[in-house]
Amino acid sequence: MAIEKTLILLKPDAVQRGLMGEIVSRFEKKGLKAVGMKLVNVTKELAHTHYAEHKEKPFFKGLVEFITAGPTLSMVVEGDNAIAVVRKLVGATNPQNADPGTIRHDFGMVTGRNLIHASDSAASAAREIALFFKKEEIIEYKLVHEKWVYE
Ligand code: IDP
Ligand code: MG
């Protein structure tokens, strides 16, 4: 097993549309463990750092406006191969290309309102978790059902 942690942000559209519970529930039901969770008002500065790889893109200004437009639910989840598992549950960047059953397909219509962010690699996960969470905000604990999720 390769137990990993990954960063998930429920973007302001997900929060405003009342989809937090529905989306968090999907991660819980899958068997992932929430080890960090809080509402964050992403500042312009944090948005620029988090999305630095996109700063030359035409959509960058709109992306920063979107992610700073209201609170995000910021989460760290943990599990076997969690980075790839979460990206699969999230679906393709454009909700119209995302597979049915994924979060972006099931709740989204356009790329600029695609509900959720998830780290795309081990390096991104480490960088993004450190940007959004202090060490003491990550809670290490056992779930009683772990032996029924993993063999
Ligand atoms: P990802 O979130 O699936 O990893 P990225 O290509 O890393 O996708 O883009 C980051 C975010 O930037 C997307 O989730 C989306 O919110 C936004 N974005 C990407 N491409 C576009 C676009 O063409 N128009 C508007 N927003 C975009
Ligand atoms: Mg990305």
Side-chain angles (χ1 to χ4, degrees), residues 1 19 30 41 48-49 81 91 94 120 130:
M1 288 223 292
L19 294 171
K30 176 71 175 167
N41 272 320
H48 277 249
T49 309
N81 207 21
N94 181 342
D120 64 4

Side-chain angles (χ1 to χ4, degrees), residues 7-19:
L7 182 83
I8 297 169
L9 303 176
L10 305 194
K11 296 176 179 179
D13 53 340
V15 176
Q16 292 296 329
R17 291 174 58 196
L19 294 171

Side-chain angles (χ1 to χ4, degrees), residues 8-28 37-40 71-75 103 107 115-116:
I8 297 169
L9 303 176
L10 305 194
K11 296 176 179 179
D13 53 340
V15 176
Q16 292 296 329
R17 291 174 58 196
L19 294 171
M20 286 191 291
E22 168 81 42
I23 295 172
V24 170
S25 172
R26 290 186 176 208
F27 296 117
E28 284 189 298
M37 198 185 294
K38 61 181 178 179
L39 287 170
V40 174
T72 66
L73 183 69
S74 309
M75 298 176 67
I103 292 160
F107 303 116
L115 298 138
I116 183 164

Side-chain angles (χ1 to χ4, degrees), residues 88-148:
K88 273 204 165 167
L89 291 172
V90 165
T93 306
N94 181 342
Q96 295 187 17
N97 297 332
D99 290 331
T102 63
I103 292 160
R104 285 170 169 168
H105 171 276
D106 290 354
F107 303 116
M109 288 298 291
V110 297
T111 306
R113 296 287 183 271
N114 66 356
L115 298 138
I116 183 164
H117 167 84
S119 306
D120 64 4
S121 65
S124 305
R127 186 182 82 89
E128 294 171 359
I129 290 168
L131 268 180
F132 279 83
F133 285 85
K134 296 179 193 150
K135 265 207 167 67
E136 62 268 27
E137 291 175 325
I138 305 295
I139 310 296
E140 305 289 352
Y141 63 102
K142 280 229 169 292
L143 285 170
V144 290
H145 70 218
E146 268 168 38
K147 69 173 179 177
W148 302 110

